[in-house]
Amino acid sequence: MLKKLANICVVGALLSSSAMAQSDEMARYVRALAAGYKAQFICSGLWNGGKSLADIKDDELTGIYDRVAETVPLLVEDIDMARREVRVPFAEDAPPRIAVWNSETGCMSMPIGFEQTEIRPTPAERRYFDDRTWPMGDREALSAATARPAAFRTTAEQAFQTETYGGKTSAVLIIRNGKIVAESYKKGHDLHTAQRTWSVAKSIAGTLIGYSVEQKKLNIFAPVQIPEWQRQGDPRASLTIDQLMRMSSGLVNDTAGNRTDPLYMGGASVTERATAWPLLYKPGIRFRYANNDTLLAVHAARQQHPEFDPFILFLKLGMTRTYAETDWQGHYILSSQVWTTARDLGRLGMLYLDNGSWNGETLLPENWRDYVSKPSGPQPENRAFGYGATFWLMNKSPGIPDDSFAGFGNRGQYLVIIPSLDMVIVRRGYDSSDNRFDIETFIRDVIAAGKS
């Protein structure tokens, strides 16, 4: 009996020791994620966004993921302005987490354990079109041509009052009939301050895919040619980019949105993470919002169109302060990781108002606006909004025109396009999960301002 009790005690001690080791290892991993998060956001905020370090810490590094929220403030950053590099240590026996900037795609989060020995070459400096007239540039952007523009300005200013709509607003831009009729920014921000789009990047991804379709480089209804799925018998090879754009892949989705912590914060690559999930449902029959579906859509698009390059379209639209970031292996993270200004988002919205035409050039297929803004696939259940292809639909929102569609992003990023009113509404913010912006009420008030 005593021997049996002793054995039980030994087993219990081993299990307890194992649990403690796992707990210590997970705590270390969370610190590594927090360090990666801090390095990435400081890097992007400084050199994509043109923000001060104080503003980055006040806005970008507060109200963040619960998993790393308590750890991020405890870690100390080392900023190398000459190398455009941010290092954040997370353990005494490991190299720091590193984020490295370049002028074309912004910041890359390097893998855990990465040690850089040489200065990374960067592409040539960006060209800016500030001296060109709106919308290609920023000169003569504000106009008094629209009737009663003061009503728009008043509504825009109210977006910064937490008691009116909630949230923590950083920028509001209202465009009507091609003219900016209201524009306002929080202190420390201006027309050239870029922020992370979060999931509005998915709508940007859909636009870039449309540009490839217009160039006859892409068939979104053909089976994907994702290399990791081409082994004989892999059922995922039957998926199409269309199904991925409509969030109807049927792939396993382990968490809401398919949380991508290893990619967003851990220095993993798109091909390591997004391609690993198996099918759980027949493709095309079930809606499930997932970062991985967008990541895979872009990955598949690049297999058909190797010259897929977001910056080419950005330059055509005058979006010179927009950065489509990549992982350290060069794969675009177009589910979330784009940094851009309010005006650049406004330009993107205007492209859709003009049905894909810009400066006399057709950049999107003639029916692309209808394609992305129609609920042609399975729809979200118990949601206030429908879904098209990389855009949310506002056809269920009272007081808002049925043809309204939008890009929505975490922390209160909104790009709302209303073709019937020839209107684009951009709202940027630093909202937290317990203080969200009421976008529907705000849109209704903007529409009412246009009628006053």
Side-chain angles (χ1 to χ4, degrees):
M1 181 61 135
L2 289 175
K3 186 176 180 180
K4 186 176 181 180
L5 286 173
N7 287 337
I8 291 173
C9 289
V10 169
V11 171
L14 289 172
L15 290 174
S16 177
S17 175
S18 175
M20 289 179 62
Q22 290 179 5
S23 177
D24 290 345
E25 187 172 279
M26 183 52 65
R28 180 186 176 94
Y29 182 52
V30 169
R31 285 182 64 84
L33 292 179
Y37 189 95
K38 190 165 192 174
Q40 179 79 29
F41 271 86
I42 290 177
C43 179
S44 299
L46 286 173
W47 298 308
N48 295 348
K51 301 180 63 177
S52 70
L53 181 60
D55 276 349
I56 294 167
K57 290 185 175 182
D58 285 346
D59 298 328
E60 308 286 0
L61 299 180
T62 59
I64 60 178
Y65 292 126
D66 289 342
R67 189 176 191 183
V68 298
E70 294 183 359
T71 307
V72 164
L74 305 177
L75 303 174
V76 180
E77 71 280 356
D78 175 22
I79 301 171
D80 189 327
M81 299 297 289
R83 295 164 68 105
R84 299 288 177 99
E85 177 180 299
V86 180
R87 295 170 171 254
V88 180
F90 70 93
E92 293 182 357
D93 60 345
R97 296 299 310 283
I98 299 175
V100 182
W101 184 85
N102 71 77
S103 63
E104 183 171 326
T105 62
C107 288
M108 291 184 295
S109 179
M110 308 312 289
I112 295 171
F114 172 83
E115 293 187 76
Q116 184 154 302
T117 56
E118 298 180 0
I119 295 179
R120 182 178 299 273
T122 64
E125 288 299 310
R126 287 189 163 222
R127 291 183 295 140
Y128 298 115
F129 301 157
D130 299 354
D131 60 340
R132 301 186 187 183
T133 56
W134 172 262
M136 276 302 294
D138 292 320
R139 185 162 53 87
E140 300 175 9
L142 293 171
S143 172
T146 301
R148 308 278 184 104
F152 285 117
R153 292 199 302 270
T154 298
T155 305
E157 293 295 337
Q158 288 175 340
F160 292 82
Q161 302 168 6
T162 301
E163 64 274 14
T164 305
Y165 301 108
K168 183 181 178 182
T169 299
S170 55
V172 171
L173 176 74
I174 304 171
I175 300 168
R176 190 173 190 187
N177 301 324
K179 306 293 185 181
I180 295 175
V181 294
E183 183 176 28
S184 192
Y185 299 93
K186 76 181 284 289
K187 184 179 180 180
H189 287 45
D190 62 21
L191 73 165
H192 293 152
T193 302
Q195 291 179 233
R196 181 163 163 157
T197 62
W198 296 93
S199 287
V200 176
K202 295 177 173 68
S203 303
I204 295 173
T207 307
L208 292 165
I209 288 171
Y211 180 57
S212 290
V213 172
E214 174 58 28
Q215 292 179 293
K216 307 296 189 292
K217 302 293 186 179
L218 201 57
N219 181 355
I220 61 173
F221 300 106
V224 295
Q225 297 299 312
I226 291 176
E228 293 81 2
W229 294 352
Q230 295 311 303
R231 189 167 182 171
Q232 186 174 3
D234 192 330
R236 297 172 299 180
S238 68
L239 278 167
T240 65
I241 292 175
D242 169 68
Q243 290 166 340
L244 292 165
M245 290 177 67
R246 295 191 180 281
M247 301 291 179
S248 63
S249 68
L251 295 169
V252 170
N253 194 333
D254 64 329
T255 58
N258 247 153
R259 281 286 297 274
T260 42
D261 292 358
L263 176 60
Y264 288 178
M265 298 182 271
S269 71
V270 169
T271 51
E272 288 170 338
R273 300 297 301 182
T275 62
W277 298 94
L279 280 173
L280 187 61
Y281 298 93
K282 181 180 178 181
I285 66 169
R286 185 175 185 271
F287 178 92
R288 183 74 190 273
Y289 186 78
N291 292 330
N292 284 335
D293 280 18
T294 303
L295 293 169
L296 290 165
V298 173
H299 184 42
R302 294 185 77 194
Q303 306 312 306
Q304 286 190 51
H305 185 196
E307 294 78 28
F308 182 98
D309 183 351
F311 198 53
I312 293 174
L313 181 61
F314 296 160
L315 279 179
K316 286 181 177 291
L317 297 175
M319 296 173 62
T320 57
R321 286 180 171 82
T322 299
Y323 296 81
E325 293 188 329
T326 71
D327 64 26
W328 69 282
Q329 296 181 8
H331 305 289
Y332 291 104
I333 310 176
L334 280 164
S335 57
S336 178
Q337 230 157 287
V338 176
W339 285 68
T340 192
T341 66
R343 284 195 177 188
D344 278 3
L345 280 184
R347 292 177 172 101
L348 189 78
M350 288 177 63
L351 175 65
Y352 280 98
L353 290 183
D354 291 337
N355 210 17
S357 178
W358 191 267
N359 284 341
E361 182 179 3
T362 300
L363 301 179
L364 300 177
E366 185 178 358
N367 66 341
W368 196 252
R369 185 174 76 190
D370 286 340
Y371 167 72
V372 300
S373 65
K374 293 293 184 290
S376 302
Q379 291 299 291
E381 296 180 3
N382 304 318
R383 292 283 190 95
F385 305 104
Y387 203 77
T390 73
F391 281 89
W392 291 95
L393 312 180
M394 306 195 76
N395 53 345
K396 302 178 184 178
S397 301
I400 297 176
D402 290 346
D403 65 343
S404 304
F405 60 107
F408 291 168
N410 188 31
R411 309 209 64 190
Q413 318 313 315
Y414 298 104
L415 165 62
V416 181
I417 303 163
I418 312 177
S420 57
L421 297 180
D422 201 6
M423 183 181 288
V424 174
I425 301 168
V426 177
R427 187 270 182 181
R428 312 298 306 275
Y430 299 108
D431 303 350
S432 59
S433 58
D434 59 353
N435 182 20
R436 299 182 185 277
F437 188 80
D438 184 350
I439 186 63
E440 288 182 280
T441 299
F442 179 65
I443 293 170
R444 283 191 287 266
D445 287 351
V446 170
I447 292 171
K451 298 176 180 178
S452 62

